[in-house]
Amino acid sequence: MAVPKRRMSRANTHARRSQWKATAPTLITCPNRACGQQTLPHIACPSCGTYKGRQVTSAV
Ligand SMILES: [Zn+2]
């Protein structure tokens, strides 16, 4: 495994880390018409428990 030869300066470390940014997650509107909540894509809707039109978990 490659190993850094020299310790990176604090300024360089901070300059790199200053580019880290949190991004807001992509949200979709639940396709269940009775629900319509904003949810994460590719997971069962946490509020109505459906995925691809099927009930996969119990609704909260
Ligand atoms: Zn839903």
Side-chain angles (χ1 to χ4, degrees), residues 27-41 43-51 54-60:
L27 293 178
I28 58 160
T29 306
C30 180
N32 180 5
R33 288 203 192 164
C35 174
Q37 294 283 311
Q38 295 290 104
T39 69
L40 294 170
I43 64 163
C45 174
S47 63
C48 66
T50 60
Y51 187 74
R54 281 192 312 127
Q55 193 76 33
V56 291
T57 61
S58 59
V60 183

Side-chain angles (χ1 to χ4, degrees), residues 19-26:
Q19 301 303 312
W20 284 10
K21 291 171 191 77
T23 56
T26 303

